[in-house]
Short mmCIF file of all heavy atoms in Angstrom, two decimals:
data_model
loop_
_atom_site.label_atom_id
_atom_site.label_comp_id
_atom_site.label_asym_id
_atom_site.label_seq_id
_atom_site.Cartn_x
_atom_site.Cartn_y
_atom_site.Cartn_z
N ASP A 551 -162.97 -63.84 -73.15
CA ASP A 551 -161.99 -64.87 -72.79
C ASP A 551 -162.60 -66.27 -72.70
O ASP A 551 -162.15 -67.11 -71.91
CB ASP A 551 -161.35 -64.49 -71.43
CG ASP A 551 -159.86 -64.78 -71.41
OD1 ASP A 551 -159.38 -65.51 -72.31
OD2 ASP A 551 -159.17 -64.30 -70.49
N GLY A 552 -163.64 -66.52 -73.47
CA GLY A 552 -164.25 -67.85 -73.48
C GLY A 552 -165.14 -68.13 -72.27
O GLY A 552 -165.60 -69.26 -72.09
N LEU A 553 -165.37 -67.11 -71.45
CA LEU A 553 -166.19 -67.30 -70.26
C LEU A 553 -167.67 -67.06 -70.58
O LEU A 553 -167.99 -66.42 -71.57
CB LEU A 553 -165.75 -66.33 -69.15
CG LEU A 553 -164.31 -66.49 -68.65
CD1 LEU A 553 -163.89 -65.28 -67.84
CD2 LEU A 553 -164.17 -67.77 -67.82
N ASN A 554 -168.51 -67.59 -69.73
CA ASN A 554 -169.95 -67.36 -69.88
C ASN A 554 -170.38 -66.47 -68.71
O ASN A 554 -170.66 -66.95 -67.64
CB ASN A 554 -170.68 -68.70 -69.87
CG ASN A 554 -172.17 -68.53 -70.07
OD1 ASN A 554 -172.63 -67.49 -70.56
ND2 ASN A 554 -172.94 -69.53 -69.68
N LEU A 555 -170.37 -65.15 -68.96
CA LEU A 555 -170.59 -64.19 -67.87
C LEU A 555 -172.01 -63.64 -67.87
O LEU A 555 -172.65 -63.54 -68.92
CB LEU A 555 -169.60 -63.03 -68.01
CG LEU A 555 -168.11 -63.41 -68.05
CD1 LEU A 555 -167.27 -62.25 -68.56
CD2 LEU A 555 -167.63 -63.85 -66.68
N ASN A 556 -172.49 -63.32 -66.72
CA ASN A 556 -173.76 -62.60 -66.61
C ASN A 556 -173.58 -61.51 -65.55
O ASN A 556 -172.72 -61.62 -64.68
CB ASN A 556 -174.91 -63.55 -66.26
CG ASN A 556 -174.84 -64.03 -64.83
OD1 ASN A 556 -175.31 -63.36 -63.91
ND2 ASN A 556 -174.22 -65.20 -64.61
N TYR A 557 -174.37 -60.46 -65.67
CA TYR A 557 -174.20 -59.34 -64.75
C TYR A 557 -175.54 -58.72 -64.37
O TYR A 557 -176.52 -58.85 -65.11
CB TYR A 557 -173.29 -58.27 -65.37
CG TYR A 557 -173.83 -57.73 -66.68
CD1 TYR A 557 -174.75 -56.68 -66.69
CD2 TYR A 557 -173.44 -58.27 -67.89
CE1 TYR A 557 -175.27 -56.21 -67.89
CE2 TYR A 557 -173.95 -57.81 -69.09
CZ TYR A 557 -174.86 -56.78 -69.09
OH TYR A 557 -175.39 -56.31 -70.26
N LYS A 558 -175.57 -58.08 -63.24
CA LYS A 558 -176.74 -57.33 -62.78
C LYS A 558 -176.25 -56.19 -61.90
O LYS A 558 -175.13 -56.22 -61.40
CB LYS A 558 -177.66 -58.22 -61.93
CG LYS A 558 -178.49 -59.25 -62.68
CD LYS A 558 -179.46 -59.88 -61.69
CE LYS A 558 -180.18 -61.13 -62.11
NZ LYS A 558 -180.32 -61.55 -63.44
N VAL A 559 -177.12 -55.21 -61.69
CA VAL A 559 -176.82 -54.12 -60.75
C VAL A 559 -177.66 -54.33 -59.50
O VAL A 559 -178.87 -54.57 -59.59
CB VAL A 559 -177.16 -52.74 -61.35
CG1 VAL A 559 -176.88 -51.64 -60.34
CG2 VAL A 559 -176.38 -52.50 -62.64
N TYR A 560 -177.03 -54.24 -58.35
CA TYR A 560 -177.77 -54.20 -57.09
C TYR A 560 -177.87 -52.74 -56.68
O TYR A 560 -176.85 -52.04 -56.61
CB TYR A 560 -177.02 -54.97 -55.99
CG TYR A 560 -177.08 -56.47 -56.09
CD1 TYR A 560 -176.28 -57.26 -55.26
CD2 TYR A 560 -177.92 -57.12 -57.01
CE1 TYR A 560 -176.32 -58.65 -55.34
CE2 TYR A 560 -177.96 -58.51 -57.09
CZ TYR A 560 -177.16 -59.27 -56.26
OH TYR A 560 -177.19 -60.63 -56.34
N LYS A 561 -179.08 -52.30 -56.41
CA LYS A 561 -179.27 -50.91 -55.99
C LYS A 561 -179.11 -50.82 -54.48
O LYS A 561 -180.07 -50.89 -53.72
CB LYS A 561 -180.63 -50.40 -56.46
CG LYS A 561 -180.71 -50.43 -57.99
CD LYS A 561 -181.96 -49.79 -58.52
CE LYS A 561 -181.83 -48.27 -58.55
NZ LYS A 561 -182.97 -47.67 -59.28
N VAL A 562 -177.87 -50.69 -54.08
CA VAL A 562 -177.51 -50.68 -52.66
C VAL A 562 -176.50 -49.58 -52.38
O VAL A 562 -175.86 -49.05 -53.28
CB VAL A 562 -176.91 -52.04 -52.23
CG1 VAL A 562 -177.98 -53.14 -52.26
CG2 VAL A 562 -175.74 -52.42 -53.12
N LYS A 563 -176.38 -49.25 -51.10
CA LYS A 563 -175.50 -48.16 -50.68
C LYS A 563 -174.02 -48.55 -50.69
O LYS A 563 -173.15 -47.69 -50.79
CB LYS A 563 -175.86 -47.72 -49.26
CG LYS A 563 -177.07 -46.82 -49.19
CD LYS A 563 -177.25 -46.38 -47.75
CE LYS A 563 -178.45 -45.50 -47.56
NZ LYS A 563 -178.65 -45.23 -46.13
N ASP A 564 -173.76 -49.82 -50.51
CA ASP A 564 -172.37 -50.27 -50.45
C ASP A 564 -171.66 -49.92 -51.76
O ASP A 564 -172.24 -50.00 -52.83
CB ASP A 564 -172.30 -51.77 -50.28
CG ASP A 564 -173.11 -52.27 -49.10
OD1 ASP A 564 -174.34 -52.09 -49.13
OD2 ASP A 564 -172.52 -52.79 -48.17
N ILE A 565 -170.41 -49.55 -51.65
CA ILE A 565 -169.62 -49.27 -52.84
C ILE A 565 -168.79 -50.50 -53.11
O ILE A 565 -167.76 -50.72 -52.48
CB ILE A 565 -168.73 -48.03 -52.61
CG1 ILE A 565 -169.63 -46.82 -52.36
CG2 ILE A 565 -167.81 -47.80 -53.80
CD1 ILE A 565 -168.88 -45.53 -52.06
N ASN A 566 -169.28 -51.33 -54.03
CA ASN A 566 -168.61 -52.60 -54.23
C ASN A 566 -169.07 -53.28 -55.51
O ASN A 566 -169.93 -52.76 -56.24
CB ASN A 566 -168.88 -53.52 -53.03
CG ASN A 566 -167.62 -54.22 -52.56
OD1 ASN A 566 -166.81 -54.61 -53.39
ND2 ASN A 566 -167.48 -54.36 -51.26
N ALA A 567 -168.47 -54.43 -55.75
CA ALA A 567 -168.83 -55.29 -56.87
C ALA A 567 -168.28 -56.66 -56.52
O ALA A 567 -167.39 -56.76 -55.69
CB ALA A 567 -168.18 -54.79 -58.16
N PHE A 568 -168.84 -57.70 -57.10
CA PHE A 568 -168.25 -59.01 -56.83
C PHE A 568 -168.40 -59.95 -58.02
O PHE A 568 -169.21 -59.71 -58.91
CB PHE A 568 -168.81 -59.63 -55.55
CG PHE A 568 -170.27 -60.03 -55.60
CD1 PHE A 568 -170.67 -61.22 -56.18
CD2 PHE A 568 -171.22 -59.21 -55.02
CE1 PHE A 568 -172.01 -61.61 -56.19
CE2 PHE A 568 -172.57 -59.58 -55.03
CZ PHE A 568 -172.97 -60.78 -55.63
N ALA A 569 -167.58 -60.96 -57.99
CA ALA A 569 -167.61 -61.98 -59.03
C ALA A 569 -167.69 -63.34 -58.38
O ALA A 569 -167.21 -63.53 -57.27
CB ALA A 569 -166.34 -61.90 -59.87
N CYS A 570 -168.34 -64.27 -59.07
CA CYS A 570 -168.46 -65.63 -58.55
C CYS A 570 -167.94 -66.63 -59.57
O CYS A 570 -167.84 -66.34 -60.76
CB CYS A 570 -169.92 -65.95 -58.26
SG CYS A 570 -170.55 -65.03 -56.89
N ALA A 571 -167.68 -67.81 -59.06
CA ALA A 571 -167.10 -68.87 -59.89
C ALA A 571 -167.96 -69.23 -61.10
O ALA A 571 -167.44 -69.67 -62.12
CB ALA A 571 -166.88 -70.11 -59.03
N ASP A 572 -169.26 -69.03 -61.00
CA ASP A 572 -170.13 -69.41 -62.12
C ASP A 572 -170.18 -68.36 -63.22
O ASP A 572 -170.90 -68.52 -64.19
CB ASP A 572 -171.55 -69.69 -61.60
CG ASP A 572 -172.25 -68.41 -61.20
OD1 ASP A 572 -171.59 -67.52 -60.65
OD2 ASP A 572 -173.47 -68.30 -61.43
N GLY A 573 -169.44 -67.27 -63.05
CA GLY A 573 -169.41 -66.22 -64.06
C GLY A 573 -170.37 -65.07 -63.79
O GLY A 573 -170.53 -64.17 -64.61
N SER A 574 -171.00 -65.10 -62.63
CA SER A 574 -171.89 -64.01 -62.25
C SER A 574 -171.08 -62.83 -61.72
O SER A 574 -170.25 -63.01 -60.84
CB SER A 574 -172.87 -64.45 -61.16
OG SER A 574 -173.68 -65.51 -61.62
N VAL A 575 -171.36 -61.65 -62.25
CA VAL A 575 -170.72 -60.43 -61.75
C VAL A 575 -171.86 -59.51 -61.30
O VAL A 575 -172.84 -59.34 -62.01
CB VAL A 575 -169.86 -59.74 -62.83
CG1 VAL A 575 -169.28 -58.43 -62.32
CG2 VAL A 575 -168.73 -60.67 -63.29
N ARG A 576 -171.74 -58.96 -60.12
CA ARG A 576 -172.75 -58.03 -59.63
C ARG A 576 -172.05 -56.71 -59.29
O ARG A 576 -171.06 -56.70 -58.56
CB ARG A 576 -173.47 -58.58 -58.38
CG ARG A 576 -174.23 -59.89 -58.65
CD ARG A 576 -175.41 -59.68 -59.61
NE ARG A 576 -176.14 -60.90 -59.90
CZ ARG A 576 -175.92 -61.68 -60.97
NH1 ARG A 576 -174.97 -61.37 -61.84
NH2 ARG A 576 -176.65 -62.76 -61.17
#
Side-chain angles (χ1 to χ4, degrees):
D551 220 345
L553 298 166
N554 182 19
L555 304 165
N556 72 85
Y557 59 85
K558 285 188 193 341
V559 178
Y560 285 171
K561 298 187 80 171
V562 292
K563 281 184 181 174
D564 307 63
I565 298 178
N566 225 322
F568 67 81
C570 291
D572 71 323
S574 299
V575 176
R576 298 294 179 264

